[in-house]
Each structure stands twice: as C-alpha cells, then as structure tokens.
C-alpha cells in the first residue's frame, strides 16, 4: 500500500492526473458517448477530447464528481486517496493540508462523500427506506446492525449532520468499511462512481 505522499508523487502535474484518469474513463480506449466513434483529437488548450466523427467534446472528468471543477485534479486525487486509505479526513485537516479555505475544503469533502454514496449504493442497504415487511429477518437484522454501526461512526466523527444528508454519511461509513484495505481500488471507485446511473435520493424515490 502506498503512503499518501508516495501516491501523490505519481502526479507531479495536472497532465499526469489526466493521463491517470483517461484509461479509467475509457478502459478500452476512447469512445464517443454520442456516436460510438473511437477516433478523437485532443484540444490541449482546454484539456478536452473531440470526437473525430460528430465533434462532440468531452473531458476525462465528465460524469465524475470532478466535472467542471476549478480545483487542481491532484487535489481531488489526494482527497480520494486520503479517504480511501481509511483515515479520518475533516474539512479543517483538508483545508490546512491543501492550503484551501475552509468552505472550499468542505465542498470538496461533500462531493467526495457523494461519490462514496454513489459508489456503494445498494438497495439492500438503502438505510433511509423502511424495512420491507416481507424481507427475511436475517436481512432486516443485518441492515439494522449496519445502520447502528454507521450511526456510531457518525457520532464518533461528526459533531452535526443534517437529516437531509445523513444517508451520505451512512454510505461514507459503508464505503470506508468496504474499501479501506485497498485505497487504489477506492480511488478507482470514487472516480467511476458517476459513470453508472446517477442515483440521487430524489431520483431514486421518483423511480419507485
Ligand atoms: Zn461522436
């Protein structure tokens, strides 16, 4: 397992970050999401990839929580690896380490937590939903146990969590408990979490 410092040495500049993201975004090479074309050109002044056929432009961050970010990508990767390595990371610590103001660090951490939620979303552990009365009791018990652990994680680490966003903290607990032994996989999951169907809590409810 690399230390955070060793991990960040892989990313001396923003281009190194983009080179890292590219094969995660397009594991089998570039594909245009609009027309399926695989040929593309790079618009290096804007860090975009343009489809050779339909001219649709895309970036290595589209569909991820990093999309349209004003922060350096290395800050995101740094935060991904930090939370992915299972260590506690507060907005204050992040602000100090990256020399950001507190609000920016808080926003960054909120986005990363949203990625954790999307990465580990699983209907069986949809904590905010009432139990299905027909679910086997072993499942209900497992869900309750998870919920209790997640609540105690929240109590241990956060002073105040809004009810509206509590589910994300539940999923932060879940993400950490599943991935903390393997930060590289955690980073990949946080990057790719937006590529699949985006489940916001409201979208999910509307689907029901
Ligand atoms: Zn295209």
């Amino acid at each position: 397992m690399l230390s955070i410092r060793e991990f960040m040495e892989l990313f001396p500049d923003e281009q190194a970050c983009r080179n890292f993201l590219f094969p995660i975004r397009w594991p089998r090479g570039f594909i245009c999401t609009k027309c399926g074309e695989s040929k593309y050109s790079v618009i290096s002044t804007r860090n975009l990839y343009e489809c050779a056929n339909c001219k649709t432009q895309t970036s290595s961050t589209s569909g991820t929580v990093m999309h349209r970010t004003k922060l350096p990508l290395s800050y995101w990767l740094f935060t991904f690896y930090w939370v992915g390595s299972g260590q506690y990371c507060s907005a204050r610590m992040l602000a100090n380490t990256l020399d950001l103001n507190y609000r920016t660090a808080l926003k960054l951490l909120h986005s990363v937590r949203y990625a954790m939620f999307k990465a580990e979303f699983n209907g069986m552990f949809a904590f905010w939903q009432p139990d299905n009365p027909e679910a086997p009791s072993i499942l209900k018990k497992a869900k309750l146990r998870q919920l209790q652990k997640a609540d105690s994680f929240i109590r241990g680490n956060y002073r105040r969590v809004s009810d509206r966003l509590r589910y994300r903290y539940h999923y932060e607990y879940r993400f950490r408990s599943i991935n903390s032994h393997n930060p590289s996989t955690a980073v990949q999951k946080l990057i790719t979490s937006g590529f699949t169907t985006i489940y916001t809590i409201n979208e999910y409810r509307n689907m029901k």
Side-chain angles (χ1 to χ4, degrees):
M1 194 192 288
L2 299 177
S3 68
I4 297 183
R5 182 183 292 273
E6 285 164 339
F7 179 74
M8 288 320 293
E9 278 168 5
L10 303 173
F11 306 105
D13 54 34
E14 289 294 283
Q15 189 55 48
C17 297
R18 283 188 291 272
N19 291 347
F20 176 75
L21 292 175
F22 191 94
I24 298 176
R25 184 99 179 76
W26 294 287
R28 292 185 197 148
F30 179 88
I31 289 174
C32 172
T33 46
K34 204 137 191 203
C35 74
E37 174 62 52
S38 59
K39 290 195 198 78
Y40 67 100
S41 54
V42 181
I43 304 174
S44 53
T45 48
R46 295 170 57 217
N47 302 314
L48 293 173
Y49 305 99
E50 186 179 88
C51 169
N53 177 40
C54 71
K55 308 294 178 199
T56 296
Q57 294 175 351
T58 187
S59 73
S60 51
T61 56
S62 69
T64 74
V65 288
M66 296 171 277
H67 192 42
R68 297 188 198 281
T69 183
K70 292 196 175 71
L71 291 174
L73 297 176
S74 58
Y75 286 24
W76 286 91
L77 295 178
F78 176 83
T79 312
F80 288 169
Y81 201 82
W82 190 345
V83 302
S85 63
Q87 295 170 62
Y88 178 64
C89 169
S90 71
R92 182 72 59 203
M93 289 156 84
L94 201 56
N96 289 340
T97 314
L98 295 176
D99 202 15
L100 294 169
N101 71 50
Y102 178 74
R103 284 186 64 84
T104 308
L106 195 64
K107 240 181 105 183
L108 173 57
L109 213 48
H110 273 313
S111 300
V112 172
R113 190 170 299 114
Y114 184 52
M116 291 189 203
F117 158 65
K118 287 199 292 182
E120 296 304 342
F121 176 82
N122 173 335
M124 196 167 90
F125 290 105
F127 294 129
W128 60 89
Q129 285 186 313
D131 275 331
N132 171 4
E134 274 147 44
S137 69
I138 189 162
L139 262 185
K140 284 190 210 163
K141 274 186 193 151
K143 184 175 152 186
L144 184 66
R145 218 170 23 245
Q146 284 280 311
L147 192 59
Q148 284 166 342
K149 282 185 186 169
D151 278 330
S152 109
F153 164 80
I154 294 173
R155 276 195 303 278
N157 290 295
Y158 296 101
R159 229 178 300 160
R160 208 180 56 217
V161 167
S162 80
D163 283 346
R164 192 173 62 86
L165 294 179
R166 197 173 181 83
Y167 72 95
R168 293 195 193 174
Y169 293 81
H170 284 153
Y171 275 90
E172 174 177 351
Y173 163 76
R174 189 164 166 73
F175 184 90
R176 285 173 177 277
S177 57
I178 291 172
N179 299 295
S180 61
H181 60 285
N182 195 341
S184 302
T185 309
V187 170
Q188 288 236 354
K189 279 189 176 182
L190 291 171
I191 294 168
T192 56
S193 66
F195 295 170
T196 49
T197 317
I198 296 169
Y199 284 112
T200 67
I201 203 88
N202 283 333
E203 282 174 50
Y204 183 77
R205 282 176 179 155
N206 290 340
M207 279 162 55
K208 294 258 124 185

